Amino acid sequence: MSSSPETTTEKVIHAVESAVVGAEHAVADATSKAVGVATDVAHAAEQFADSMITVEDAAEGSSNGTPESEDKDVGGVEGKKMTMKDREAKLAQLRKKFAASTRANRETLVQDSAKAKLNAREMARLERQRKLAETLRLKADAEERGEDVERQKNWEWTIEDNDNWEKKQARKKRRADFEFHDDAHAARRKYKKDLDLLESDLEAYNRQKALATGSGALTHFDASGSSSAVQAMGSVEQQLAHENLYRDSTTLLYGDNKPSEEAIDRVVSKINKDIDKRGKFSRKRLNETEGDITYINEQNRVFNKKIGRYYDKYTAEIRASFERGTAL
């Protein structure tokens, strides 16, 4: 009976010892595996660092004209293998260059974005501000010298410029009347606007004028004929050109003009533009009847019209009750 407890205790001790031994073996195996993985990682990192250093030095050698063997000259001795500290220094240098290039790219991107935001309207505004600043500067300089700014500015204009400016102001004053008077007045205004869009062909006119006045009449020459025949031919062509250019009520020339393709395209584009403008035109009707007057001005009328789109269906019964006088 006394040997049974001892046997049980020995079994427990042997089981514990075997469990401890198994755990030690498992820990040793795990440690060896971890050391192997760490060694592989370190070896891969070392290979990656070597490849990065080789690429960077190759790029520097191609740009500066130095040989590629300078990657081993960091410590000051050629041909010596780089240590871990040298690789860390080289990696830090590469990181600094990467950060600098990233910063430069970011600044360039910001500048391009700022330039893209400067549209035509913004450029016009900046140009107006520049002209205003220039005018204020000239005015301040003239006041310091005791001169008249307007008089000094008028010296820059010629007589022709002054005449053109006065004609422009007179034409602007005549066209300031936008009211409708009659059909003739409206047709004249439309005709004047169309004339502003026309571009005269001065070269063709000068050629016709030269031919009509005689400076370009001699266009044919007969070697066998006499000078009188050539002069007669020139006079006939000159007379026809003169009649063609300066026509009056007694001329018999009509319907002989052949416009060019550019002139036809210009007329077609002008007609299409007038059609599109007429289709988009909407006359503002000030005295339009819209039922009850529930506004005090134009802005209030537009506001009431907007809110009426959403709330009229809910307030129709209330407004009807107020009108009948049966509202509570």
Side-chain angles (χ1 to χ4, degrees), residues 73 94 125 143 217 230 256:
D73 199 16
L94 292 175
R125 186 182 65 82
E143 289 179 355
V230 175
D256 56 347

Side-chain angles (χ1 to χ4, degrees), residues 201-217 219 241-242 245:
D201 191 358
L202 296 179
E203 295 182 359
Y205 172 73
N206 291 329
R207 289 196 301 268
Q208 294 179 2
K209 185 177 180 181
L211 186 61
T213 55
S215 59
T219 58
H242 188 276
L245 182 62

Side-chain angles (χ1 to χ4, degrees), residues 8 16 53 161:
T8 304
V16 171
I53 293 170
D161 295 336

Side-chain angles (χ1 to χ4, degrees), residues 65-92:
T66 58
E68 296 181 359
S69 61
E70 290 184 357
D71 57 349
K72 298 181 180 180
D73 199 16
V74 178
V77 181
E78 267 191 27
K80 186 180 291 184
K81 190 175 181 180
M82 297 182 65
T83 61
M84 185 59 68
K85 291 183 179 180
D86 297 336
R87 292 191 178 94
E88 289 178 355
K90 196 67 176 180
L91 185 61

Side-chain angles (χ1 to χ4, degrees), residues 84-226:
M84 185 59 68
K85 291 183 179 180
D86 297 336
R87 292 191 178 94
E88 289 178 355
K90 196 67 176 180
L91 185 61
Q93 184 180 1
L94 292 175
R95 287 176 177 173
K96 288 181 180 179
K97 289 184 178 180
F98 179 75
S101 62
T102 304
R103 195 181 310 110
N105 292 336
R106 181 64 180 175
E107 291 177 357
T108 305
L109 179 63
V110 171
Q111 293 177 1
D112 294 341
S113 178
K115 290 181 180 179
K117 292 180 180 178
L118 292 177
N119 51 9
R121 182 175 298 178
E122 188 70 16
M123 293 296 293
R125 186 182 65 82
L126 294 177
E127 184 66 19
R128 289 195 300 269
Q129 290 182 355
R130 187 190 65 81
K131 290 182 179 180
L132 179 60
E134 185 70 17
T135 303
L136 294 177
R137 185 183 64 82
L138 293 176
K139 185 176 181 180
D141 295 342
E143 289 179 355
E144 290 180 359
R145 295 190 300 266
E147 299 177 355
D148 189 4
V149 181
E150 296 297 331
R151 183 178 179 83
Q152 184 180 2
K153 189 183 297 184
N154 291 334
W155 282 109
E156 300 177 359
W157 302 96
T158 61
I159 298 177
E160 291 79 5
D161 295 336
N162 186 40
D163 293 340
N164 294 332
W165 174 256
E166 290 180 355
K167 289 180 181 179
K168 183 178 179 180
Q169 293 298 321
R171 183 170 62 252
K172 185 177 180 180
K173 186 177 181 180
R174 289 195 306 269
R175 296 184 180 182
D177 186 11
F178 296 99
E179 297 182 359
F180 178 80
H181 298 282
D182 52 10
D183 294 334
H185 183 265
R188 185 178 181 278
R189 286 179 55 85
K190 184 67 171 60
Y191 175 71
K192 291 294 184 180
K193 287 184 179 180
D194 292 341
L195 286 181
D196 294 339
L197 300 176
L198 292 179
E199 296 180 0
S200 58
D201 191 358
L202 296 179
E203 295 182 359
Y205 172 73
N206 291 329
R207 289 196 301 268
Q208 294 179 2
K209 185 177 180 181
L211 186 61
T213 55
S215 59
L218 185 58
T219 58
H220 297 84
F221 179 75
D222 190 3
S224 61
S226 60

